[in-house]
Amino acid sequence: TLQGWAIVENTTDQDWNDVRLSLVAGRPVSFQMDLYEPLYVERAQVPVPVVAGVAPRQYQGTNMALGLRDMVAKSVSDQRQPGRGRPAAAPAPAGTAVPAEAGSERDFSIADYPASARQEMARELSAADLDAYAPEAAAAAGMVGEVFQYDLSSPVTIERQRSALIPIITASVPTRRVSIFNLADGSQHPMRGVEIINPAEAGRGLQLLPGPISVFDGAAYAGDAQIGHIPPGDNRLLAYAVDLDVVALTRPEHTSSVTRLRIVGGLVEQIVKQRNRVVYGFENKDAAAPRTVLIEHPRLQHGEWELAEPKTAAQTTPSYYRFELELAPKGSGTLTVAQETTERHTVAVTSFDLETVLALHRDGKLSDRVLETFREISRRQGELADLERTLGEVDRQVAAISADQQRIRSNMGAIERNSELYVQYMRKLTEQEGRLEQLGAQRAETLQRLEAGRAALDEYLRTLDVE
């Protein structure tokens, strides 16, 4: 049973005597504008507008998860049986004894029982019982333009600088008990809560406004909650206490694996699957009552993530998936939630070695054609590597001969020209000069072949397109 109250404050310096009030909920546009000062506006010359015809359009509808709309109709019809009456006056607050005046007649309320008796009765009270003792709503509700208005049925008297608490809603609403777990709460226990539905009855749908809610389980205080705006036909979760009888354990993990490789435009395109997975485990230590655990799992927003496990969620919000897990008394259960996304990365073909490619081929992540292409690339790279080694060896020999010639010329400057050693030095220098000419020709040929091989490999890679 949902009860809504409005706090009305008379902030003026005059008493309100028998004032009729309408309480308006909404956000109409309101502002101030100076209409006193004259304005002089320069008018621009503009062409005559020509507007194209407007095509008709269709709007998507929304569907509530879990078939709750069907539950609404049944629950409302069950709770509103003909012939039910209400007390003429609201009962006193719980815990306050109100003695009956002599010679007067009034309805007997729960508050007239002693505290011990009330605690025993709390175990037997139902929502229908509470609904029978709830105060009659003192307002008629309905839409007025773009706002929702509660018209108070009786005049109100409020003294200056005083306030009044007025009941404006008393209605039976469908609810169900749930335990709500969100890993971001940082607790190993879920929150005890209820799922509340604002029925969308024709002509009687209520706009439930944001504010605090006190939750009573039977006649016992259960906790406080806070909700936002709930339009007719919508549902919300209320969390009013920590469910200490249920313990949660989570195990998150993230994996990344290459699922496919292909060569496109001379680059290796890697198809990488990212998988984010969380295993939720719950244990219900309550030996008397089962639990319906509602798990809020964050939806990954960056990238194109899709829900992989389970395939569907019980409910979906802009930020969370919601899943349900039933726990028997003294029972336990687990739920695995996984989200996946596929990303494409491009890298240079030459960044892969043949051993890595062979391993990927054995795992079935690239085709035989791609493997043969990598082998051809590896063969060409090997030929270029041989030419580079040859060129390096030529340069090493040239450097060694040049250093030896520098030593010989230094020694020749210190001996007689007609000596036998001088003649030997001259003969060696002549031989070395011939060798340098051969090495120079070999280097030029090797460099030419290397540059041609590189150009051919670049052209081969540029035109590659292999699946």
Side-chain angles (χ1 to χ4, degrees):
T1 300
L2 179 67
Q3 299 179 28
W5 302 76
I7 299 178
V8 180
E9 298 189 40
N10 179 5
T11 60
T12 69
D13 289 329
Q14 295 180 345
D15 294 338
W16 293 354
N17 295 312
D18 294 335
V19 175
R20 290 196 172 273
L21 291 180
S22 294
L23 308 178
V24 179
R27 294 185 180 179
V29 176
S30 179
F31 55 87
Q32 293 182 344
M33 181 178 291
D34 183 5
L35 301 179
Y36 180 78
E37 296 294 334
L39 301 176
Y40 303 92
V41 181
E42 293 290 337
R43 299 186 178 182
Q45 187 73 24
V46 296
V48 177
V50 178
V51 181
V54 180
R57 59 184 299 186
Q58 295 182 352
Y59 295 89
Q60 293 181 339
T62 58
N63 295 320
M64 188 175 288
L66 303 176
L68 290 177
R69 295 189 186 278
D70 296 335
M71 295 170 54
V72 169
K74 182 177 185 305
S75 178
V76 171
S77 62
D78 291 344
Q79 294 183 20
R80 296 190 174 180
Q81 300 296 333
R84 281 182 53 192
R86 291 183 178 272
T96 304
V98 182
E101 296 178 1
S104 65
E105 295 184 358
R106 67 175 184 85
D107 293 316
F108 197 72
S109 75
I110 300 174
D112 295 302
Y113 288 92
S116 59
R118 289 200 307 271
Q119 293 175 359
E120 185 65 26
M121 292 174 59
R123 301 188 181 95
E124 305 297 333
L125 282 172
S126 65
D129 297 327
L130 288 178
D131 190 30
Y133 286 99
E136 182 74 40
M143 293 296 298
V144 179
E146 299 302 323
V147 297
F148 195 79
Q149 183 167 303
Y150 293 88
D151 293 319
L152 300 188
S153 55
S154 301
V156 175
T157 296
I158 307 176
E159 298 178 359
R160 58 182 294 275
Q161 304 299 325
R162 303 295 294 271
S163 62
L165 191 63
I166 303 173
I168 58 174
I169 300 174
T170 299
S172 297
V173 294
T175 61
R176 64 167 182 155
R177 295 176 183 266
V178 291
S179 294
I180 310 163
F181 183 78
N182 190 317
L183 189 59
D185 292 339
S187 173
Q188 63 175 346
H189 303 285
M191 298 296 294
R192 200 72 169 110
V194 295
E195 185 177 29
I196 182 173
I197 304 168
N198 185 11
E201 300 177 77
R204 295 189 61 186
L206 297 177
Q207 295 282 347
L208 303 183
L209 307 182
I213 289 183
S214 292
V215 181
F216 289 82
D217 190 351
Y221 170 75
D224 290 331
Q226 188 173 358
I227 61 167
H229 173 237
I230 310 180
D234 205 353
N235 65 326
R236 287 293 188 277
L237 294 177
L238 304 181
Y240 56 83
V242 177
D243 193 349
L244 297 176
D245 288 331
V246 178
V247 180
L249 179 65
T250 60
R251 188 181 65 188
E253 62 180 25
H254 182 88
T255 58
S256 177
S257 61
V258 177
T259 60
R260 192 73 177 167
L261 271 80
R262 64 175 185 168
I263 302 175
V264 180
L267 296 174
V268 175
E269 183 181 80
Q270 299 182 87
I271 301 176
V272 182
K273 178 179 287 186
Q274 306 279 352
R275 182 178 177 88
N276 188 285
R277 179 171 176 263
V278 178
V279 179
Y280 295 91
F282 297 91
E283 181 182 1
N284 181 14
K285 298 180 181 297
D286 191 341
R291 291 291 193 276
T292 297
V293 181
L294 200 60
I295 303 164
E296 285 196 326
H297 185 84
R299 298 175 60 184
L300 298 178
Q301 304 295 335
H302 60 281
E304 298 180 356
W305 290 86
E306 295 181 353
L307 184 63
E309 185 180 359
K311 294 299 183 182
T312 58
Q315 299 177 12
T316 302
T317 73
S319 300
Y320 293 99
Y321 292 114
R322 288 175 180 165
F323 306 92
E324 292 192 12
L325 181 64
E326 299 292 337
L327 299 178
K330 300 295 286 186
S332 60
T334 60
L335 175 72
T336 299
V337 181
Q339 298 178 78
E340 293 180 350
T341 185
T342 300
E343 299 177 350
R344 299 178 184 270
H345 303 287
T346 55
V347 295
V349 175
T350 54
S351 63
F352 283 84
D353 59 82
L354 188 58
E355 184 177 344
T356 301
V357 172
L358 289 172
L360 293 172
H361 180 263
R362 286 194 298 269
D363 294 339
K365 296 178 179 179
L366 53 84
S367 65
D368 294 339
R369 290 186 59 200
V370 174
L371 176 61
E372 291 303 320
T373 301
F374 271 109
R375 282 177 170 162
E376 175 63 18
I377 294 171
S378 179
R379 185 189 65 79
R380 296 191 181 207
Q381 287 178 326
E383 292 178 353
L384 294 178
D386 291 340
L387 291 174
E388 289 174 349
R389 283 193 295 269
T390 300
L391 189 62
E393 178 62 23
V394 170
D395 291 339
R396 187 192 65 77
Q397 293 183 27
V398 170
I401 293 173
S402 299
D404 192 46
Q405 284 186 336
Q406 182 67 27
R407 180 187 63 81
I408 292 175
R409 290 189 178 95
S410 178
N411 291 340
M412 290 175 66
I415 62 176
E416 295 290 336
R417 286 178 175 270
N418 56 0
S419 65
E420 182 64 26
L421 182 58
Y422 191 89
V423 174
Q424 291 180 4
Y425 279 156
M426 286 298 296
R427 189 181 302 116
K428 190 171 185 178
L429 285 175
T430 302
E431 293 173 355
Q432 287 178 339
E433 286 299 323
R435 180 58 180 162
L436 285 176
E437 289 181 2
Q438 294 176 359
L439 291 174
Q442 183 181 359
R443 187 182 193 284
E445 179 188 2
T446 303
L447 185 59
Q448 183 179 5
R449 291 175 57 192
L450 180 61
E451 291 176 349
R454 286 173 176 170
L457 179 59
D458 290 342
E459 179 65 18
Y460 177 75
L461 295 177
R462 187 180 62 81
T463 58
L464 280 178
D465 196 349
V466 184
E467 293 285 344

